[in-house]
């Protein structure tokens, strides 16, 4: 079946611009996670959605980062006023069970802020 | 908060030789442990997981891992590697956050290079 998809695969933006990254989870998966992968920090948790519950935003690095999940499916991660340190690969993952049994990752969006 | 240590950042190994990638995690009452593999310019693929039960876990592509609670380790092994195993491997622990999330905490990764 179809896996997790993310778009765009690559995004180059100028410092100060806003960007939106999209994630389509595996159909039927109720849990959705965003992670960031950068050379300096490795893989870091950003935010978690589970059904209609309030999201766990504890990993968001600043208030420039936000995310939403519409209809319990597609999610959008928004970064406002991008900075060079935001350059990274943003990975989305979904899980049928809340995540404890393993998460299934998309191919990621490589964001470059110039 | 959980932490994961992957002791080797790079491991070169000859084709058809055995390999062990080491992983240690900080202690907790209960943890769920995972190994993921990342090929160049791709996302993470789940290799295997330990949730409970048998401490020896078998995964895809001939990999296996052993959960050792007393040593807080979860080392990954393969008896005979192939060129196609060249990739970066991440050990991860999932811990209930209390806010409903089983977010993963990852190690820094180990780059496995298989030499022909």
């Amino acid at each position: 079946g179809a896996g997790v998809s993310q778009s765009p695969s690559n995004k180059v933006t100028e410092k100060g611009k806003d960007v939106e990254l999209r994630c389509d989870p595996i159909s039927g998966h109720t849990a959705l996670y965003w992670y960031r992968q950068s050379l300096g920090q490795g893989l870091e948790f950003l935010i978690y959605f589970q059904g209609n519950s309030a999201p766990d935003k504890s990993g968001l690095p600043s208030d420039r980062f936000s995310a939403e999940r519409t209809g319990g499916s597609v999610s959008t991660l928004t970064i406002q006023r991008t900075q060079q340190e935001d350059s990274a690969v943003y990975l989305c993952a979904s899980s049928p069970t809340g995540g404890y049994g393993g998460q299934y990752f998309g191919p990621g969006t490589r964001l470059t802020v110039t | 908060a959980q932490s994961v240590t992957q002791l080797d950042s790079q491991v070169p190994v000859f084709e058809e030789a055995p390999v062990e990638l080491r992983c240690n995690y900080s202690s907790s009452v209960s943890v769920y442990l995972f190994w993921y593999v990342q090929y160049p310019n791709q996302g993470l693929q789940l290799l295997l997981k330990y949730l409970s039960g048998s401490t020896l876990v078998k995964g895809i592509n001939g990999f296996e891992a052993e959960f050792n609670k007393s040593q807080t380790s979860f080392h990954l092994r393969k008896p005979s590697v192939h060129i196609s195993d060249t990739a970066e491997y991440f050990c991860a622990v999932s811990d209930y956050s209390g806010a409903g999330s089983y977010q993963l905490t990852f190690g820094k990764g180990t780059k496995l290079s298989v030499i022909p």
Side-chain angles (χ1 to χ4, degrees):
Chain A
V4 177
S5 61
Q6 293 186 244
S7 60
S9 56
N10 281 284
K11 176 73 177 178
V12 180
T13 190
E14 292 179 352
K15 178 181 173 181
K17 301 282 190 183
D18 297 352
V19 295
E20 286 189 350
L21 312 179
R22 177 187 167 102
C23 171
D24 280 276
I26 294 171
S27 178
H29 282 196
T30 57
L32 187 148
Y33 293 78
W34 283 97
Y35 294 86
R36 178 169 70 173
Q37 185 175 25
S38 58
L39 283 175
Q41 301 299 320
L43 280 151
E44 306 171 282
F45 163 75
L46 295 177
I47 189 169
Y48 160 76
F49 295 92
Q50 170 66 294
N52 294 321
S53 302
D56 177 359
K57 304 179 183 180
S58 60
L60 294 178
S62 78
D63 58 8
R64 295 187 296 105
F65 287 72
S66 63
E68 62 177 19
R69 188 178 185 192
T70 54
S73 181
V74 171
S75 177
T76 303
L77 176 70
T78 301
I79 309 173
Q80 295 179 309
R81 304 181 303 281
T82 52
Q83 304 294 313
Q84 288 188 330
E85 61 263 29
D86 299 334
S87 295
V89 177
Y90 290 82
L91 293 163
C92 176
S94 70
S95 171
T97 59
Y100 81 93
Q103 298 168 25
Y104 299 88
F105 284 79
T109 294
R110 182 175 297 277
L111 175 66
T112 303
V113 182
T114 61
Chain B
Q2 290 282 351
S3 65
V4 177
T5 302
Q6 291 184 243
L7 297 164
D8 304 299
S9 59
Q10 297 189 54
V11 172
V13 62
F14 286 103
E15 192 174 15
E16 297 184 6
V19 70
E20 178 180 82
L21 305 183
R22 296 179 292 169
C23 172
N24 288 87
Y25 63 94
S26 58
S27 180
S28 179
V29 175
S30 62
V31 292
Y32 307 112
L33 295 158
F34 306 86
W35 276 98
Y36 284 86
V37 60
Q38 187 175 36
Y39 300 100
N41 300 313
Q42 294 188 26
L44 298 167
Q45 181 181 4
L46 181 63
L47 267 181
L48 49 78
K49 59 187 175 185
Y50 172 80
L51 304 181
S52 65
S54 173
T55 57
L56 184 62
V57 179
K58 294 189 183 298
I60 62 171
N61 301 340
F63 284 93
E64 63 181 32
E66 185 158 18
F67 170 62
N68 188 319
K69 187 173 182 178
S70 63
Q71 297 186 5
T72 60
S73 68
F74 190 55
H75 301 332
L76 181 70
R77 302 186 184 101
K78 187 170 182 178
S80 175
V81 295
H82 301 151
I83 295 290
S84 59
D85 293 324
T86 295
E88 190 159 18
Y89 293 78
F90 292 92
C91 181
V93 61
S94 175
D95 194 15
Y96 184 63
S97 72
S101 167
Y102 286 93
Q103 69 222 44
L104 294 171
T105 299
F106 289 90
K108 294 291 188 185
T110 297
K111 291 185 178 177
L112 175 64
S113 299
V114 180
I115 305 162

